[in-house]
Amino acid sequence: MIGLIFGPPGSGKGTQASRVEREFGMSHLSTGEILRSEVAHGSAVGKEAARIMAAGDLVSDDLIDRIVESRLSRIDPTSNVLLDGFPRTTEQAKALDAMLEPRTVDFVVSLDVPEALLIDRLLHRAAVEGRADDTREAIMERMREYHSRTASVLDHYREQVVSVLEVDGVGDVDAVFDRVRQAIKKLAASKPRARGI
Ligand code: AP5
């Protein structure tokens, strides 16, 4: 099974993905986490990405595609994978289709949270953790990028008749996870090849 966790900045993708990973035995691959680790290690990729990320912009499709392709090639091709933060543009979605062939994306969990709450969550994290891209300016740029380039990725999957599981992302983490779990279980019960998860 290949699943995507999708949503705007601060919608809880990373938080929920860790739980989905444990509950359904999926390998969690977060492009944001991979990039932050590259930045922390001062690698060539990290040096290329650091300034772009701190400004709240998207790094290039080409760089991200290469990172994901390399990570996927190290994962057992029969295993269940949950992608978090990728794809973020229609071009990345098309590149993922080519990487996965003959497999396909089986489901997308799409977290819905009002923008005012997203900003509150990220500003709160800024005060507690100080992530480089949680400044007010970078948060607003991340929101702009999401609306202009990422939100339409859902249309790519709807056109392919991939199950898009819309989940209300408001409420405490456990309540949101309950909804995510129910949505995935319902899908698994309805799809023969998803029954393994
Ligand atoms: P990425 O790390 O993916 O950041 P993001 O999409 O901006 O999302 P966040 O990590 O801020 O939020 P989230 O939705 O994961 O929520 P989280 O669980 O953390 O990407 C960072 C950057 O890397 C991008 O801006 C871009 O530059 C680059 N990048 C990454 N992928 C790329 C790609 N494919 N192409 C190009 N560039 C790419 O939660 C957020 C906060 O809210 C946390 O503090 C959490 O504790 C809290 N929280 C979560 N759930 C709840 C809840 N239910 N109630 C209250 N608080 C909650």
Side-chain angles (χ1 to χ4, degrees), residues 7-16 30-33 35-36 52-53 56-60 64 84-88 92 121-122 125 129 131 133-134 142 169 171-173 176:
S11 55
K13 299 184 293 295
T15 304
Q16 296 300 327
S30 156
T31 45
E33 274 178 24
L35 289 169
R36 280 187 288 280
I52 300 169
M53 291 172 74
D57 293 321
L58 295 183
V59 307
S60 74
I64 281 288
D84 160 7
F86 179 90
R88 247 174 160 100
Q92 290 178 17
R121 284 183 185 176
L122 296 175
R125 184 172 64 190
E129 294 176 27
R131 204 172 101 173
D133 59 351
D134 280 344
R142 283 154 67 198
D172 69 36
V173 171
V176 176

Coordinates of all heavy atoms in Angstrom, one line a residue, residues 7-16 30-33 35-36 52-53 56-60 64 84-88 92 121-122 125 129 131 133-134 142 169 171-173 176, ligand 1:
G7 N -1.9 18.0 3.4 CA -2.6 19.1 4.0 C -1.7 20.3 4.1 O -0.5 20.2 3.9
P8 N -2.3 21.5 4.5 CA -1.5 22.7 4.6 C -0.5 22.7 5.7 O -0.6 21.8 6.6 CB -2.5 23.8 4.8 CG -3.7 23.1 5.3 CD -3.7 21.7 4.8
P9 N 0.5 23.6 5.8 CA 1.4 23.6 6.9 C 0.7 23.7 8.2 O -0.2 24.5 8.3 CB 2.2 25.0 6.6 CG 2.0 25.2 5.2 CD 0.7 24.7 4.8
G10 N 1.1 22.9 9.2 CA 0.5 22.9 10.5 C -0.8 22.1 10.6 O -1.4 22.1 11.7
S11 N -1.2 21.4 9.6 CA -2.4 20.6 9.6 C -2.3 19.3 10.4 O -3.3 18.7 10.7 CB -2.9 20.3 8.2 OG -2.0 19.7 7.5
G12 N -1.0 19.0 10.8 CA -0.8 17.8 11.6 C -0.3 16.6 10.8 O -0.4 15.4 11.2
K13 N 0.2 16.8 9.6 CA 0.7 15.7 8.8 C 1.7 14.8 9.5 O 1.6 13.6 9.6 CB 1.3 16.2 7.4 CG 0.4 17.0 6.6 CD 1.0 17.4 5.3 CE 2.2 18.4 5.4 NZ 1.8 19.8 5.9
G14 N 2.8 15.5 10.0 CA 3.8 14.8 10.7 C 3.3 14.1 12.0 O 3.7 12.9 12.2
T15 N 2.5 14.8 12.7 CA 2.0 14.2 14.0 C 1.1 13.0 13.7 O 1.3 11.9 14.3 CB 1.1 15.3 14.7 OG1 1.9 16.5 14.9 CG2 0.5 14.8 16.0
Q16 N 0.3 13.1 12.7 CA -0.6 11.9 12.4 C 0.1 10.8 11.7 O -0.1 9.6 11.9 CB -1.8 12.4 11.6 CG -2.7 13.4 12.3 CD -3.4 12.8 13.6 OE1 -3.6 11.6 13.7 NE2 -3.5 13.7 14.6
S30 N 9.1 11.5 5.3 CA 8.7 12.9 5.3 C 9.8 13.7 4.6 O 11.0 13.7 5.0 CB 8.6 13.4 6.8 OG 8.8 14.8 6.8
T31 N 9.4 14.4 3.5 CA 10.5 15.2 2.8 C 10.9 16.3 3.6 O 12.1 16.7 3.6 CB 9.9 15.6 1.4 OG1 8.6 16.2 1.6 CG2 9.9 14.5 0.4
G32 N 10.0 16.9 4.4 CA 10.5 18.0 5.3 C 11.5 17.6 6.3 O 12.5 18.2 6.5
E33 N 11.3 16.4 6.9 CA 12.2 15.9 7.9 C 13.6 15.5 7.2 O 14.6 15.8 7.8 CB 11.7 14.6 8.6 CG 10.8 14.9 9.8 CD 10.2 13.7 10.4 OE1 10.8 12.6 10.3 OE2 9.2 13.9 11.1
L35 N 14.9 16.9 4.6 CA 15.6 18.1 4.3 C 16.1 18.8 5.5 O 17.3 19.3 5.5 CB 14.6 19.1 3.6 CG 14.2 18.7 2.1 CD1 13.1 19.6 1.6 CD2 15.4 18.9 1.2
R36 N 15.4 18.8 6.6 CA 15.9 19.4 7.9 C 17.1 18.6 8.4 O 18.1 19.2 8.9 CB 14.8 19.4 9.0 CG 13.9 20.6 8.8 CD 12.9 20.8 9.9 NE 11.9 19.7 9.9 CZ 10.8 19.7 9.2 NH1 10.6 20.7 8.3 NH2 9.9 18.7 9.2
I52 N 16.1 28.4 1.0 CA 14.7 28.3 0.4 C 13.7 27.9 1.5 O 12.6 28.5 1.5 CB 14.8 27.2 -0.7 CG1 15.8 27.6 -1.8 CG2 13.4 27.0 -1.3 CD1 16.1 26.5 -2.8
M53 N 14.1 26.9 2.3 CA 13.1 26.5 3.3 C 12.9 27.6 4.4 O 11.7 27.8 4.8 CB 13.7 25.3 4.1 CG 13.7 24.0 3.2 SD 14.6 22.7 4.0 CE 13.4 22.2 5.2
G56 N 10.3 29.8 3.4 CA 9.0 29.3 3.2 C 8.6 28.9 1.8 O 7.5 28.6 1.5
D57 N 9.6 28.9 0.9 CA 9.4 28.5 -0.5 C 9.6 27.0 -0.6 O 10.1 26.3 0.2 CB 10.4 29.3 -1.4 CG 10.1 30.8 -1.4 OD1 8.9 31.1 -1.4 OD2 11.1 31.5 -1.4
L58 N 9.2 26.5 -1.8 CA 9.4 25.1 -2.1 C 10.8 24.9 -2.7 O 11.2 25.7 -3.6 CB 8.3 24.6 -3.1 CG 6.9 24.6 -2.5 CD1 6.0 24.0 -3.6 CD2 6.8 23.8 -1.2
V59 N 11.5 23.8 -2.3 CA 12.7 23.5 -3.0 C 12.4 22.9 -4.4 O 11.2 22.6 -4.7 CB 13.6 22.5 -2.2 CG1 13.9 23.1 -0.8 CG2 13.1 21.2 -2.2
S60 N 13.3 22.8 -5.3 CA 13.0 22.5 -6.7 C 12.5 21.0 -6.8 O 12.8 20.1 -6.0 CB 14.2 22.6 -7.6 OG 15.1 21.5 -7.3
I64 N 13.8 17.4 -5.0 CA 12.9 16.6 -4.2 C 12.7 15.2 -4.9 O 12.7 14.2 -4.2 CB 11.6 17.3 -4.0 CG1 11.8 18.4 -2.9 CG2 10.5 16.4 -3.6 CD1 11.9 17.8 -1.5
D84 N 4.8 11.8 3.4 CA 4.3 13.0 4.1 C 5.1 14.2 3.5 O 6.3 14.3 3.6 CB 4.7 12.8 5.6 CG 4.7 14.0 6.5 OD1 4.4 15.1 6.0 OD2 5.1 13.8 7.6
G85 N 4.3 15.2 2.9 CA 4.9 16.4 2.4 C 5.3 16.2 0.9 O 5.9 17.1 0.4
F86 N 5.0 15.1 0.4 CA 5.4 14.8 -1.0 C 4.2 14.0 -1.6 O 3.8 13.0 -0.9 CB 6.7 14.1 -1.1 CG 7.1 13.7 -2.6 CD1 7.8 14.6 -3.3 CD2 6.7 12.5 -3.1 CE1 8.2 14.3 -4.6 CE2 7.0 12.2 -4.4 CZ 7.8 13.1 -5.2
P87 N 3.7 14.2 -2.8 CA 4.1 15.3 -3.7 C 3.4 16.6 -3.3 O 2.4 16.6 -2.8 CB 3.6 14.8 -5.1 CG 2.5 13.9 -4.8 CD 2.8 13.3 -3.4
R88 N 4.1 17.7 -3.7 CA 3.6 19.1 -3.3 C 3.4 19.9 -4.6 O 3.0 21.1 -4.4 CB 4.7 19.7 -2.5 CG 4.4 20.0 -1.1 CD 5.6 20.5 -0.5 NE 5.3 21.2 0.7 CZ 5.5 20.7 2.0 NH1 5.9 19.5 2.1 NH2 5.2 21.4 3.0
Q92 N 5.6 17.0 -9.3 CA 6.0 15.9 -8.4 C 5.1 14.7 -8.4 O 5.5 13.6 -8.3 CB 6.2 16.5 -6.9 CG 7.3 17.5 -6.7 CD 7.4 18.0 -5.3 OE1 6.8 17.5 -4.4 NE2 8.1 19.2 -5.2
R121 N -1.1 27.3 15.5 CA -0.3 26.1 15.9 C 1.2 26.4 15.6 O 2.0 26.0 16.3 CB -0.8 24.9 15.1 CG -2.1 24.3 15.6 CD -2.4 23.0 14.7 NE -3.6 22.5 15.0 CZ -4.2 21.4 14.4 NH1 -3.5 20.9 13.4 NH2 -5.3 20.9 14.7
L122 N 1.4 27.0 14.4 CA 2.8 27.2 14.0 C 3.5 28.3 14.8 O 4.7 28.1 15.1 CB 2.8 27.5 12.5 CG 2.3 26.3 11.6 CD1 2.3 26.7 10.1 CD2 3.2 25.1 11.8
R125 N 4.4 26.6 18.0 CA 5.6 25.8 17.8 C 6.8 26.7 17.8 O 7.9 26.4 18.3 CB 5.5 24.9 16.6 CG 6.7 24.0 16.5 CD 6.5 23.0 15.4 NE 6.5 23.6 14.1 CZ 6.1 22.9 13.0 NH1 5.8 21.6 13.0 NH2 6.1 23.5 11.8
E129 N 9.7 25.6 20.0 CA 10.8 24.8 19.3 C 11.7 25.7 18.5 O 12.8 25.3 18.2 CB 10.2 23.7 18.4 CG 9.5 22.6 19.2 CD 8.9 21.6 18.3 OE1 9.4 21.4 17.2 OE2 7.9 21.0 18.7
R131 N 11.5 26.4 15.1 CA 11.9 25.9 13.8 C 12.2 27.0 12.9 O 11.4 28.0 12.9 CB 10.8 25.0 13.3 CG 11.2 23.9 12.3 CD 10.1 23.0 11.9 NE 9.5 23.3 10.7 CZ 8.6 22.5 10.1 NH1 8.2 21.4 10.6 NH2 8.1 22.8 8.9
D133 N 11.6 27.8 9.9 CA 10.6 28.4 8.9 C 9.3 28.7 9.7 O 8.3 28.8 9.0 CB 10.4 27.4 7.8 CG 9.9 26.0 8.2 OD1 10.0 25.7 9.4 OD2 9.5 25.2 7.3
D134 N 9.3 28.8 11.0 CA 8.1 29.1 11.7 C 8.0 30.6 12.1 O 7.4 31.0 13.0 CB 7.9 28.3 13.0 CG 7.4 26.9 12.7 OD1 6.8 26.7 11.5 OD2 7.5 26.0 13.5
R142 N 4.6 30.0 3.2 CA 4.2 28.5 3.1 C 2.7 28.4 2.8 O 2.4 27.5 2.0 CB 4.6 27.8 4.4 CG 6.1 27.5 4.5 CD 6.5 27.4 6.0 NE 6.0 26.3 6.6 CZ 6.0 26.1 8.0 NH1 6.5 27.1 8.7 NH2 5.5 25.1 8.5
G169 N -9.3 17.9 10.7 CA -8.1 18.0 11.5 C -8.2 18.8 12.7 O -7.1 19.1 13.3
G171 N -9.3 19.5 16.6 CA -9.6 18.7 17.8 C -8.2 18.2 18.3 O -7.2 18.5 17.7
D172 N -8.3 17.5 19.4 CA -7.0 17.1 20.0 C -6.4 16.0 19.1 O -7.1 15.4 18.3 CB -7.0 16.8 21.5 CG -7.8 15.5 21.8 OD1 -7.7 14.6 21.0 OD2 -8.5 15.5 22.8
V173 N -5.1 15.7 19.3 CA -4.4 14.8 18.4 C -5.0 13.4 18.4 O -5.1 12.8 17.3 CB -2.9 14.7 18.8 CG1 -2.1 13.6 18.1 CG2 -2.2 16.1 18.6
V176 N -8.3 13.5 16.3 CA -8.0 13.5 14.9 C -7.5 12.1 14.4 O -8.0 11.6 13.4 CB -7.0 14.6 14.5 CG1 -6.6 14.6 13.0 CG2 -7.5 16.0 14.9
Ligands
AP5_1 P1 7.3 20.2 5.9 O1 8.2 19.8 7.0 O2 6.6 19.2 5.1 O3 6.4 21.4 6.5 P2 4.9 21.9 6.3 O4 4.2 21.3 5.2 O5 5.0 23.4 6.3 O6 4.2 21.3 7.5 P3 4.6 21.3 9.1 O7 5.7 20.3 9.3 O8 4.8 22.7 9.6 O9 3.2 20.9 9.6 P4 2.5 19.4 9.6 O10 1.3 19.5 8.7 O11 3.5 18.3 9.4 O12 2.0 19.4 11.1 P5 2.7 19.0 12.4 O13 2.3 17.6 12.7 O14 4.2 19.3 12.3 O15 8.2 21.0 4.8 C1 9.1 22.1 5.3 C2 9.7 22.7 4.1 O16 10.5 21.8 3.4 C3 8.7 23.3 3.0 O17 8.2 24.6 3.3 C4 9.6 23.3 1.8 O18 10.5 24.3 1.8 C5 10.4 22.0 1.9 N1 9.8 20.8 1.3 C6 9.3 19.7 2.0 N2 8.7 18.9 1.1 C7 8.8 19.5 -0.1 C8 8.4 19.1 -1.4 N3 7.8 17.9 -1.6 N4 8.7 19.9 -2.4 C9 9.3 21.1 -2.3 N5 9.8 21.5 -1.0 C10 9.5 20.7 0.0 O19 2.0 19.9 13.4 C11 2.3 21.3 13.4 C12 2.2 21.8 14.9 O20 0.9 21.7 15.3 C13 3.1 21.0 15.8 O21 3.6 21.9 16.8 C14 2.1 20.0 16.4 O22 2.5 19.6 17.7 C15 0.8 20.8 16.5 N6 -0.4 19.9 16.3 C16 -0.5 18.9 15.4 N7 -1.7 18.4 15.5 C17 -2.4 19.1 16.4 C18 -3.7 19.1 17.0 N8 -4.6 18.2 16.5 N9 -4.1 20.0 17.9 C19 -3.2 20.9 18.3 N10 -1.9 21.0 17.9 C20 -1.5 20.1 16.9

